[in-house]
Every structure is written in structure tokens, then in C-alpha cells.
């Protein structure tokens, strides 16, 4: 340990300072004793000497191990996985010696990331190109690594950088930086890291879903990197059982290969992926493993009123990867718990009288409380006077089964929430939906629109629908403001409709927020007694779903809950058509167009699907489950030999899989996603579009 001074000129002040102290001692005007004067002079001299020493900037040096090291590890593609692991192990051994007082660690490729522990180098996220929070392995930028390392060195330490790389830089000039390191006395050590073999091809990663369904295909995405053109074979195994083998050609650089695979057994599984390339210099990096879980095949209970026809649908569903149990109407369970293992129940062409009251209660409980999926399919045995009208099943279905003649006159009133929470797309879509509803009406039918927030007013008083342009113009003028208050608005609609004589009086209430408490049950009960029906649309999470659902139930209408406001026009149109009593009709030929790829349609080549007729259908989410109705698919409707259009479907390779879409969409537990409605329009699927009177 020793002391040095940064400046010596303050020594010149020492003699004048001592003279000044002596002069002050001699010239003191206070009558102190000589000893007191000597003590005061000594203290003044010491103080002045300390000030002069401080002005000389003394520095105390002591010896110690103050070495600071930053390790720079190249993790680019040119370094093999084993080479990176060996380098990390070397760093850990070097750190175990304790020579360095402080160490930091940098992983670099096209960019660099800093960590505090050597073990963290193993978990640093890497990518095949620029990506947020990841090291770009496609490049090697030595300059970026060195600059990051220098920035991590603490002051007043002996600096040292250790570079572990193969030296194959693609970016960054380091010549000037190396000269600067010399000037700054920063030591740079290098340790060569073995590069990959030339002409090597290896598996970089394998991606699969975390959960798949046994018996159903899923995608295995294999990322491959090659240093040269190569031809090889990829084999996927589950244990020792080969699932798929395919020959591939790869070009230099990164590439991705996607292969379908099917696991027959349920439970935890480990897939092995092997890449065989002739003459590969390092075959050990051509293997990869990935774990996933295969859930058991979804079980479907298929109740067929015409047993002789059951084989066609059952076979199509099994081709789609479902476990199908075929039963007759008397075999329908009478306890909901017995139905719980099934993801969906399909009731096809079954007379209502053939289902016991206990079985109907079990089906309703299965859907509403246990979250099951129910699909009711058929023709005259389901719809019409001999169908499910006035049964427990009708209460959970999205359609009315009672056959009625088309009403000669009707009144449709829309109660539209225009509170401030509706500002933006929701209000714009609600207004467009209201206009769309008006366009569905005949000129002699009547329409009214009441807009409400805390207060209410009638932008469109109840009137005949003949002036559609004028009505639409008044709807366009609605602006959102103030909080929500439903009761006064609904009460005024009730009083207005009492004075109108019409066969059908229907109200559609749309809201996206909470409202004030009041006697809604009493009011809506009076409306139903006056033959006024009420349906409700709850938009978004903040809507009062419970109240709106009760209003629809008390009002003998339908309750809708949607997250996506874009569905409002569809709902308004459907509600208008149901109120009009339009009967179910099959449309002409349509061509399937997929606008949004969702999991429900996974594996279906819909671009090759034949154009077919469009049978009617409707879905609904009652309680915890999901229900769907379909016409024209019961009994022989499933027989691919009984319909020329069905023959076209039969020639479509995806026909069996497309039948499974019925169960996926209608069945709450067969991969259906609430809010995603997908219809593959072909005779195999036969999803239908229903309405209030069939």
C-alpha cells in the first residue's frame, strides 16, 4: 500500500502559511497567556497543513484481486449445439477457480444479450432472424459483442474480455475497436470454438401442439438448417412405432417442413424425429424429441330414429376421429350424469313422443349445466306440428318448432342502447343492424326504434315500413351519450305497443352495460300477457348478461351473448325473419369460402369441396353448453347414395372429416370454440339454418 499525490504546487503555500500563523501569534490583541497563544498557533498550523495536503490530491493505493471478466459466447448457427455446450462448461470451470472478482456473460449472434450467471446462457432465447428479446443466430456480429462486453466492465477494475467464437463474422468491423481496446488497456483473450462440419444438415427444433386428440391428425413442424443442398428422409416415431416417413429436399439455410401425424393411443407421448441424409458428417445432430399429451377421442352419442340409416353418419364421424356410440330412442339415458362422458349428443329423425320426459330432462341438464353439445337433426319428425313444439327440448334450442302460418301483419321494435359505452364500432354496427332489419320487413309491416341511455326517445316512431330510406336516415342520426337505464325505455315500448293491433309484436333489446334495478320481471310478464315477445342481445363482458337473459326468458324470446359486435347485423336479421314466421327453405348451390381458418376446420381441404345445396341451420349457446338444429339431414339425408349432391360429396376426399364438423361445431366438447360458427356446406355436414317457425 502507498500514497501518491496528483499535484505538488500547493507545497509552495506551506512556508507563507507558517509565516502567517507566526505573525498572528505575535500580533494578537487579546491578552491570552503564552501557552494559550502557542496552542492556538499550533492548531492553525495543522489546519493549514491539512488544507495544503488536500489540495495536493492524495491517492491511496492498496493491492488486491480486482479483476473483472466478461465472457463473450458465440451462439450463431456456425457453432454446433455441442460446441456451445462445451464452451459454457469451460466458462463454468473457469469461474469455479475464483480468479475474477466480478464476471458477466454475453451471448451473441447478429446481436448480443447480457446475463449475470453462466448457466443462464443455456436458456437465452434464440431466433433464426431478428426478433424481440432473442439472439439472432443467422448472423455473427463480433463488433456488437465486443462493444456490449466493454459496456459491461465496471470502473476501477482490471478489465478482461474472453471471446469464445469460431471467428466467422458476418457483420461488424473490429480493427479500430481492437486498437481502442489496446489504448484502454483492456485485455482480450480468445478461445476457439469448433465450427460445424462443412456440408452439415441438422434439426434445429420441432414444434407440436401441447395437447392433441388420439386418432385425429395434427401437424408436426420441423425446423431444419443445412449448409448445402441435401436430400434426406424425415421419420417421426412414437416410441418405436413409425408414424410417418417422407423424403425431402432442402436448400442451404433455414427451412421448415410440416408433416401430419396421428397418435392412436391416449396419454403422455414422446415423439422422436430423425433426419437421415447420405454422407452427413455429423449425424448426431439429426435427432430431436418432443413431448405432448394425447387426449382420448371425443365420444359422441348418436340417436337415430331410422336405425337402418345410422351407419352412414356413424361411419363419417368415425372417419373424422370421433368415438361414436349408436343408440335408438328408447336407449336415451334418463340421467344427465350418464350423458356426461359424451362431448355431444346427436338426435336424428327422432319423434318427440319417442323420447321420455325423463330423457328430455336429462338432455336439458346435460346441455345447460354439464356443458354438453346437442344437435337435433331431422325433417317432419322434428319440425312442424308433430315435432318438438312445446317440449323441454324446445326451450334450449335456438328455434321454435311450432308450425305457424306467416303472420299477415307484425310490429318490430328495436330498443337500442346508445349509452357512452356504445361509442365507436358498436354503435355503428348496431345502427347498420337496425337498417338491415328494416330491409327485411314488408312495406305493410310496422317498425319502430327507441334509443335509450339514461333517458330515451323515438328516432323512428312506430310506423309502416314503406319509407325505408327515410327510416334509415333517421337511424343514422343516433349518437351515443350518458349511462344506461333500460326500464323506462322498455316500459314506454310496452305502452306504445298496447295501442297497436297486430298479430305479432316483437321487441329486440340490445345493450352493452349494466342498468339500474327495477321490476323487470313484472313489466316483461305484462308484455307477454299482451302477446309481446322480447329477445335480447348482450354485447361484451360488461353487459348485464343475467338480466338480459332473464328478460328474454320472461319475454318468451331468445337471449344472445356476443363478444364480437360484427355479429349484431346477423342476429337482427335472423330475429326479424323469425318474427315474420318465414319458413325454412333450402337455398341454391353455394361454394364454400373460408374467410378465417379456425381449429374447427383443421384438416379439411375446403378448396376442393364441391358446390352443394345449402340446408338451413341454427346454433345457440344455452347455459354452459351448445345446441344446434339442422333440417334435411335426418334419416336418409345422411345416405350418400340418396342425393346427387351427396354423391359429389362422397367423391370429395374430405367427406368423412367434414361430417365431423357437425360434432365439432354443435358439440361443446368436441373442439368447438364459443363465438366461432363454421359451416361446411355439403350434404355430409348438413348444418341447417332454422328460425322461429318451421
Amino acid at each position: 500500500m502507498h500514497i501518491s499525490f496528483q499535484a505538488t504546487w500547493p507545497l509552495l503555500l506551506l512556508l507563507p502559511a507558517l509565516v502567517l500563523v507566526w505573525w498572528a501569534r505575535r500580533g494578537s490583541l487579546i491578552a491570552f497567556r503564552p501557552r494559550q497563544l502557542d496552542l492556538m498557533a499550533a492548531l492553525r498550523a495543522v489546519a493549514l497543513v491539512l488544507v495544503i495536503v488536500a489540495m495536493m490530491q492524495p491517492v491511496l493505493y492498496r493491492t488486491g484481486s480486482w479483476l473483472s471478466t466478461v465472457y463473450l459466447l458465440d451462439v450463431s448457427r456456425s457453432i454446433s449445439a455441442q460446441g456451445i455446450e462445451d464452451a459454457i462448461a469451460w466458462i463454468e470451470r473457469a469461474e469455479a477457480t475464483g480468479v475474477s472478482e466480478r464476471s458477466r456473460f454475453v451471448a451473441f449472434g447478429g446481436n448480443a444479450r447480457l446475463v449475470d450467471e453462466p448457466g443462464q446462457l443455456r436458456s437465452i432465447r434464440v431466433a433464426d432472424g431478428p426478433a424481440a428479446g432473442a439472439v439472432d443466430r443467422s448472423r455473427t456480429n463480433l463488433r456488437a459483442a465486443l462493444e456490449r462486453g466493454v459496456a459491461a466492465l465496471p470502473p476501477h477494475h482490471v478489465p478482461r474480455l474472453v471471446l469464445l467464437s469460431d471467428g466467422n463474422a458476418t457483420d461488424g468491423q473490429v480493427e479500430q475497436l481492437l486498437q481502442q481496446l489496446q489504448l484502454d488497456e483492456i485485455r482480450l483473450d480468445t478461445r476457439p470454438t469448433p465450427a460445424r462440419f462443412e456440408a452439415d444438415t441438422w434439426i434445429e427444433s420441432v414444434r407440436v401442439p401441447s395437447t392433441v386428440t388420439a386418432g385425429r391428425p395434427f401437424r408436426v413442424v420441423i425446423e431444419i438448417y443445412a449448409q448445402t443442398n441435401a436430400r434426406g428422409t424425415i421419420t417421426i416415431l412414437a416410441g418405436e412405432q413409425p408414424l410417418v416417413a417422407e423424403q425431402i429436399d432442402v436448400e442451404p439455410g433455414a427451412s421448415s417442413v410440416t408433416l401430419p401425424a396421428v397418435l392412436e393411443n391416449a396419454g403422455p407421448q414422446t415423439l422422436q424425429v430423425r433426419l437421415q441424409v447420405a454422407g452427413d458428417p455429423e449425424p448426431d445432430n439429426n435427432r430431436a424429441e418432443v413431448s405432448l399429451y394425447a387426449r382420448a377421442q371425443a365420444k359422441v352419442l348418436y340417436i337415430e330414429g331410422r336405425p337402418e340409416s345410422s351407419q352412414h353418419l356413424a361411419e363419417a364421424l368415425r372417419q373424422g376421429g370421433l368415438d361414436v356410440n349408436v343408440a335408438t330412442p328408447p336407449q336415451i339415458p334418463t340421467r344427465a350424469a350418464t350423458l356426461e362422458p359424451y362431448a355431444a349428443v346427436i338426435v336424428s329423425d327422432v319423434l318427440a313422443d319417442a323420447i321420455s320426459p325423463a330423457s328430455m330432462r336429462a338432455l336439458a341438464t346435460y346441455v345447460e349445466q354439464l356443458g354438453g353439445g346437442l344437435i337435433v337433426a331431422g325433417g317432419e319428425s322434428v319440425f312442424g306440428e308433430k315435432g318438438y313444439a312445446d317440449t323441454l327440448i324446445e326451450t334450449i334450442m335456438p328455434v321454435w318448432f311450432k308450425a305457424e302460418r306467416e303472420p299477415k301483419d307484425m310490429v318490430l321494435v328495436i330498443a337500442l342502447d346508445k349509452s357512452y359505452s356504445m361509442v365507436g364500432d358498436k354503435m355503428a354496427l348496431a345502427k347498420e343492424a337496425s337498417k338491415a332489419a328494416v330491409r327485411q320487413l314488408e312495406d305493410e309491416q310496422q317498425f319502430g326504434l327507441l334509443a335509450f341511455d339514461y333517458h330515451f326517445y323515438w328516432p323512428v316512431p312506430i310506423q309502416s315500413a314503406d319509407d325505408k330510406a327515410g327510416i334509415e336516415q333517421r337511424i343514422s342520426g343516433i349518437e351515443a351519450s350518458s349511462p344506461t337505464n333500460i326500464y323506462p325505455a322498455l316500459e314506454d315500448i310496452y305502452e306504445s305497443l298496447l295501442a297497436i293491433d297486430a298479430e305479432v309484436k316483437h321487441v329486440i333489446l340490445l345493450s352493452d352495460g349494466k342498468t339500474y334495478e327495477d321490476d323487470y320481471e313484472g313489466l316483461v310478464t305484462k308484455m307477454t300477457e299482451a302477446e309481446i315477445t322480447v329477445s335480447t342481445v348482450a354485447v361484451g363482458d360488461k353487459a348485464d348478461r343475467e338480466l338480459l337473459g332473464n328478460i328474454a326468458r320472461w319475454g318468451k324470446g331468445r337471449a344472445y351473448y356476443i363478444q364480437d359486435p360484427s355479429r349484431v347485423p346477423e342476429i337482427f336479421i335472423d330475429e326479424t325473419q323469425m318474427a315474420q314466421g318465414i319458413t325454412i327453405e333450402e337455398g341454391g348451390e353455394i361454394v364454400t369460402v373460408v374467410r378465417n381458418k379456425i381449429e374447427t376446420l383443421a384438416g379439411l381441404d375446403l378448396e376442393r369441396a364441391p358446390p352443394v345445396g345449402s340446408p338451413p341451420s341454427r346454433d345457440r349457446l344455452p347455459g354452459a353448453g351448445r345446441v344446434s338444429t339442422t333440417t334435411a339431414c335426418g334419416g336418409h339425408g345422411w345416405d350418400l347414395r340418396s342425393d346427387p349432391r351427396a354423391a359429389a360429396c362422397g367423391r370429395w376426399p374430405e367427406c368423412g372429416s367434414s361430417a365431423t364438423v357437425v360434432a365439432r361445431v354443435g358439440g361443446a366438447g368436441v373442439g368447438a370454440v364459443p363465438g366461432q360458427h363454421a359451416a361446411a356446406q355439403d350434404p355430409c355436414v348438413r348444418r341447417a339454418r332454422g328460425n322461429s317457425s318451421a
Side-chain angles (χ1 to χ4, degrees):
M1 183 173 63
H2 66 281
I3 298 177
S4 67
F5 296 93
Q6 303 297 312
T8 57
W9 64 264
L11 287 173
L12 300 174
L13 301 175
L14 182 59
L15 183 58
L18 294 176
V19 171
L20 179 63
V21 170
W22 176 81
W23 180 83
R25 161 75 174 76
R26 295 270 302 179
S28 176
L29 300 177
I30 302 174
F32 287 113
R33 294 178 181 179
R35 283 188 177 183
Q36 290 177 318
L37 293 173
D38 292 341
L39 178 61
M40 293 173 60
L43 291 174
R44 288 175 180 144
V46 170
L48 288 173
V49 168
L50 291 176
V51 170
I52 291 171
V53 169
M55 294 173 66
M56 294 173 67
Q57 304 178 32
V59 177
L60 176 65
Y61 290 91
R62 62 186 179 89
T63 60
S65 176
W66 287 30
L67 175 65
S68 181
T69 304
V70 177
Y71 296 88
L72 311 173
L73 176 61
D74 187 348
V75 296
S76 63
R77 285 194 178 278
S78 61
I79 310 297
S80 67
Q82 187 59 49
I84 294 173
E85 178 57 35
D86 291 344
I88 296 174
W90 182 87
I91 293 173
E92 291 174 332
R93 290 194 300 271
E95 281 298 289
T97 63
V99 173
S100 180
E101 170 120 355
R102 179 180 177 184
S103 299
R104 305 294 293 279
F105 310 89
V106 173
F108 72 93
N111 57 322
R113 291 196 61 195
L114 180 71
V115 295
D116 295 322
E117 299 293 336
Q120 293 177 301
L121 293 169
R122 294 186 175 90
S123 57
I124 279 184
R125 185 177 164 225
V126 296
D128 295 327
V135 176
D136 179 6
R137 297 190 63 194
S138 66
R139 315 293 297 173
T140 302
N141 192 329
L142 289 178
R143 184 180 183 88
L146 291 170
E147 289 176 341
R148 190 71 179 89
V150 170
L153 290 169
H156 310 305
H157 281 221
V158 177
R160 181 187 181 196
L161 299 177
V162 179
L163 176 63
L164 298 94
S165 174
D166 61 358
N168 295 321
T170 60
D171 300 298
Q173 299 296 321
V174 298
E175 288 77 8
Q176 291 183 352
L177 182 57
L178 292 176
Q179 294 175 7
Q180 188 62 46
L181 293 179
Q182 272 188 317
L183 294 174
D184 294 338
E185 298 183 348
I186 298 176
R187 178 178 171 181
L188 174 61
D189 295 328
T190 60
R191 178 179 173 83
T193 302
R196 291 185 186 270
F197 293 102
E198 292 296 329
D200 188 18
T201 302
W202 63 90
I203 294 176
E204 194 66 41
S205 65
V206 178
R207 300 197 310 272
V208 296
S210 59
T211 303
V212 299
T213 301
R216 280 193 58 194
F218 62 93
R219 293 182 296 176
V220 181
V221 181
I222 306 159
E223 302 292 340
I224 298 173
Y225 196 89
Q227 294 179 322
T228 184
N229 290 305
R231 167 170 289 189
T233 301
I234 288 183
T235 305
I236 302 175
L237 304 95
E240 296 300 323
Q241 178 186 3
L243 300 181
V244 62
E246 184 164 318
Q247 192 173 70
I248 61 167
D249 292 309
V250 293
E251 297 179 350
S255 60
S256 178
V257 177
T258 301
L259 298 177
V262 178
L263 291 171
E264 298 298 334
N265 300 320
Q269 305 276 354
T270 298
L271 294 186
Q272 299 180 38
V273 181
R274 299 175 182 173
L275 173 61
Q276 295 177 319
V277 177
D280 194 333
E282 191 179 1
D284 290 341
N285 58 16
N286 292 5
R287 296 168 177 264
E289 290 187 353
V290 63
S291 298
L292 70 165
Y293 183 83
R295 58 174 173 252
Q297 286 185 332
K299 298 181 65 176
V300 174
L301 178 60
Y302 171 28
I303 312 296
E304 176 56 65
R306 302 184 184 185
E308 67 277 6
S309 301
S310 64
Q311 62 183 25
H312 307 293
L313 174 59
E315 180 181 354
L317 293 174
R318 290 184 181 118
Q319 289 177 5
L322 298 179
D323 184 1
V324 183
N325 184 13
V326 181
T328 58
Q331 295 173 315
I332 300 177
T334 56
R335 296 176 63 250
T338 309
L339 294 169
E340 190 170 9
Y342 294 102
V345 176
I346 300 175
V347 179
S348 174
D349 252 356
V350 176
L351 293 169
D353 295 341
I355 304 177
S356 69
S359 295
M360 282 200 180
R361 285 193 297 271
L363 288 170
T365 303
Y366 162 74
V367 170
E368 294 185 312
Q369 299 182 19
L370 301 183
L374 176 62
I375 302 168
V376 178
E380 290 299 324
S381 60
V382 173
F383 301 94
E385 295 181 358
K386 296 182 180 180
Y388 289 80
D390 300 323
T391 66
L392 187 59
I393 285 183
E394 185 182 43
T395 63
I396 63 171
M397 299 304 294
V399 301
W400 297 337
F401 292 96
K402 185 177 181 180
E404 298 176 349
R405 63 184 179 87
E406 184 175 341
K408 292 182 179 179
D409 63 290
M410 66 167 285
V411 182
L412 174 67
V413 175
I414 294 176
L416 188 61
D417 185 347
K418 72 175 192 73
S419 61
Y420 47 69
S421 59
M422 288 286 291
V423 171
D425 289 343
K426 284 192 284 188
M427 177 55 72
L429 288 165
K431 290 193 287 188
E432 291 305 312
S434 301
K435 297 175 185 178
V438 173
R439 299 185 197 113
Q440 301 298 313
L441 297 175
E442 301 293 336
D443 288 349
E444 61 273 14
Q445 294 173 329
Q446 299 182 71
F447 175 81
L449 189 146
L450 180 145
F452 67 92
D453 39 43
Y454 187 78
H455 305 286
F456 66 85
Y457 77 105
W458 290 84
V460 183
I462 297 175
Q463 58 189 273
S464 62
D466 54 352
D467 183 17
K468 292 182 173 58
I471 292 174
E472 291 184 23
Q473 185 176 2
R474 289 192 289 275
I475 293 174
S476 297
I478 300 173
E479 299 292 339
S481 63
S482 301
T484 303
N485 192 6
I486 295 176
Y487 188 90
L490 203 57
E491 185 178 42
D492 197 72
I493 291 174
Y494 164 62
E495 293 173 353
S496 299
L497 289 175
L498 279 179
I500 296 177
D501 183 20
E503 290 185 58
V504 174
K505 302 176 185 180
H506 188 56
V507 178
I508 304 174
L509 169 62
L510 180 144
S511 178
D512 73 334
K514 304 291 184 183
T515 186
Y516 299 94
E517 294 185 2
D518 217 314
D519 184 18
Y520 288 95
E521 183 175 6
L523 173 60
V524 179
T525 299
K526 290 193 294 183
M527 295 177 76
T528 56
E529 290 173 352
E531 297 185 344
I532 301 171
T533 56
V534 184
S535 291
T536 60
V537 182
V539 183
D541 292 329
K542 295 184 179 179
D544 196 335
R545 294 177 58 184
E546 182 178 2
L547 174 62
L548 293 174
N550 286 334
I551 290 176
R553 181 165 57 85
W554 299 326
K556 296 184 178 180
R558 288 151 300 281
Y560 301 87
Y561 166 63
I562 57 173
Q563 289 280 5
D564 183 2
S566 65
R567 291 195 55 215
V568 173
E570 173 192 349
I571 292 173
F572 275 30
I573 291 173
D574 292 343
E575 278 292 311
T576 305
Q577 291 178 344
M578 284 188 267
Q580 288 175 303
I582 295 176
T583 56
I584 299 176
E585 297 179 357
E586 290 200 25
E589 284 194 348
I590 64 169
V591 176
T592 303
V593 177
V594 180
R595 297 187 182 274
N596 296 297
K597 294 184 178 180
I598 60 175
E599 191 275 339
T600 306
L601 299 177
L604 298 184
D605 183 9
L606 293 179
E607 293 183 1
R608 298 175 57 192
V612 292
S614 85
S617 79
R618 166 134 328 260
D619 299 324
R620 182 187 168 203
L621 304 170
R626 185 186 189 98
V627 293
S628 178
T629 57
T630 139
T631 65
C633 64
H636 292 287
W638 293 106
D639 191 341
L640 303 183
R641 297 167 299 180
S642 64
D643 190 333
R645 297 171 304 175
C649 171
R651 292 190 296 269
W652 179 34
E654 305 291 349
C655 181
S657 298
S658 69
T660 314
V661 174
V662 177
R664 292 193 210 168
V665 177
V670 194
V673 179
Q676 290 185 336
H677 294 258
Q681 297 285 4
D682 65 81
C684 301
V685 177
R686 295 286 193 181
R687 286 187 66 246
R689 182 180 187 81
N691 46 36
S692 59
S693 59

